[in-house]
Amino acid sequence: MSYSNQPYRPGGFQVIPPAIKAIILINVGVFLLESFPAFGNVLLSELALWPISSGNFRIWQPLTYLFLHGGTAHIFFNMFALWIFGAEIENHWGTKQFNVYYFTCGIGAALINLFATMGSTYPTIGASGAVYGILLAFGMMFPDRYIFLYFLFPIKAKFFVAGYAFIEFFSGLGSRTMGSGSNVAHFAHLGGMLIGWIYITLKRRDFNLSGMLEKIRPRKKEGGARIHSISRNDDVVTEAEIDRILEKISQSGYSSLSADERHKLLKAGRK
């Protein structure tokens, strides 16, 4: 059974990895501040994503709007989805790479939403654009994992993600062509997925190119020292060394390991 079609279990190395934990705590903290009118009005006017033509737009808003939410259900489902779909991604990629991806999707979604809502006078708030990017990443990384829709109906992640994208696309078109009063930022959701797809596609190509270059790169000829290296004392892998390697995987992902570190990890696994 390949890694991509194992049963879906959020967690991995950590049930709530560092980046997701920090994002959830910050969002909850800001949401509590929003409940006080004195703070809520200021946060909405300064940190929400306002259309450029509204006169309230600020350069920092494509980032700060990610931390505001319009109600308990809004923040709960966003943070729940972030944890459910994001935990395994952060454990797989590492905290640094996850942070870069999350905020790239969120900011990219904001820029696309600014373009799609030109002429509007209403602000956009919520982490949904970034969360939809996380959903897209899960579908691309684990396409054959089964997700139980409404906890009852099993559906593969790739079809689940495609269905969401389809719904958001036509909902967004309907809200613009029919002038509906929907307060859902459908194009921000689609923007997060689009930016996520571009990001992952480029990273995969970069990874594949690096692997190809590594294979075709001419190896340096080594003399007698190479023969002597056969008997080097690297057969013993200490527990401290394995702990260091696992910590590196947790922080930066498996791809950050050197060839020697991967060799040591594999050798320890065989033992």
Side-chain angles (χ1 to χ4, degrees):
M1 179 183 294
S2 68
Y3 185 69
S4 64
N5 58 20
Q6 294 174 15
Y8 169 54
R9 295 186 301 271
F13 292 103
Q14 299 183 54
V15 175
I16 307 180
I20 290 177
K21 184 186 298 183
I23 291 170
I24 291 176
L25 289 176
I26 294 172
N27 274 275
V28 171
V30 173
F31 182 71
L32 292 177
L33 288 177
E34 287 182 76
S35 63
F36 297 96
F39 292 106
N41 294 333
V42 175
L43 291 173
L44 183 63
S45 64
E46 295 298 323
L47 303 185
L49 180 65
W50 290 86
I52 296 177
S53 60
S54 68
N56 296 321
F57 175 77
R58 303 290 184 270
I59 191 66
W60 56 79
Q61 291 174 357
L63 172 64
T64 57
Y65 87 106
L66 291 168
F67 300 101
L68 301 176
H69 288 85
T72 304
H74 190 200
I75 189 172
F76 173 78
F77 286 110
N78 269 347
M79 297 301 100
F80 182 71
L82 172 64
W83 170 63
I84 285 293
F85 296 107
E88 193 163 0
I89 296 173
E90 183 178 348
N91 285 323
H92 190 69
W93 283 354
T95 297
K96 180 180 178 180
Q97 188 64 41
F98 180 87
N99 274 327
V100 171
Y101 178 79
Y102 178 86
F103 288 106
T104 297
C105 289
I107 294 172
L111 299 179
I112 291 175
N113 191 67
L114 285 174
F115 176 79
T117 58
M118 286 190 299
S120 173
T121 58
Y122 299 101
T124 299
I125 58 175
S128 301
V131 171
Y132 269 72
I134 296 298
L135 178 63
L136 185 281
F138 190 92
M140 292 184 70
M141 290 177 61
F142 314 112
D144 294 320
R145 295 283 185 91
Y146 278 98
I147 297 172
F148 285 87
L149 191 62
Y150 300 115
F151 302 100
L152 294 174
F153 308 105
I155 181 173
K156 288 188 175 182
K158 57 187 176 183
F159 300 129
F160 181 80
V161 172
Y164 257 90
F166 181 85
I167 292 171
E168 288 300 318
F169 178 74
F170 283 99
S171 296
L173 286 181
S175 65
R176 286 187 63 87
T177 58
M178 299 177 64
S180 68
S182 172
N183 59 355
V184 179
H186 298 290
F187 285 103
H189 300 171
L190 284 172
M193 299 181 85
L194 175 62
I195 297 299
W197 179 82
I198 294 173
Y199 184 100
I200 294 174
T201 301
L202 292 177
K203 289 293 291 183
R204 282 179 173 177
R205 289 180 179 177
D206 179 64
F207 176 79
N208 291 336
L209 180 60
S210 299
M212 292 173 61
L213 292 175
E214 189 67 28
K215 291 180 180 179
I216 65 176
R217 184 180 299 162
R219 299 191 177 187
K220 295 181 180 180
K221 295 183 179 181
E222 300 182 7
R226 181 60 179 173
I227 300 175
H228 195 57
S229 68
I230 296 177
S231 61
R232 62 185 180 180
N233 188 25
D234 65 348
D235 289 335
V236 179
V237 183
T238 65
E239 185 176 349
E241 180 70 6
I242 294 302
D243 289 341
R244 184 191 66 78
I245 294 173
L246 292 176
E247 179 65 22
K248 186 175 181 181
I249 294 175
S250 177
Q251 292 296 321
S252 305
Y254 181 78
S255 60
S256 66
L257 298 183
S258 65
D260 185 57
E261 289 170 331
R262 296 182 187 184
H263 176 72
K264 290 180 179 179
L265 189 62
L266 179 62
K267 183 176 294 185
R270 288 175 178 171
K271 291 182 181 180

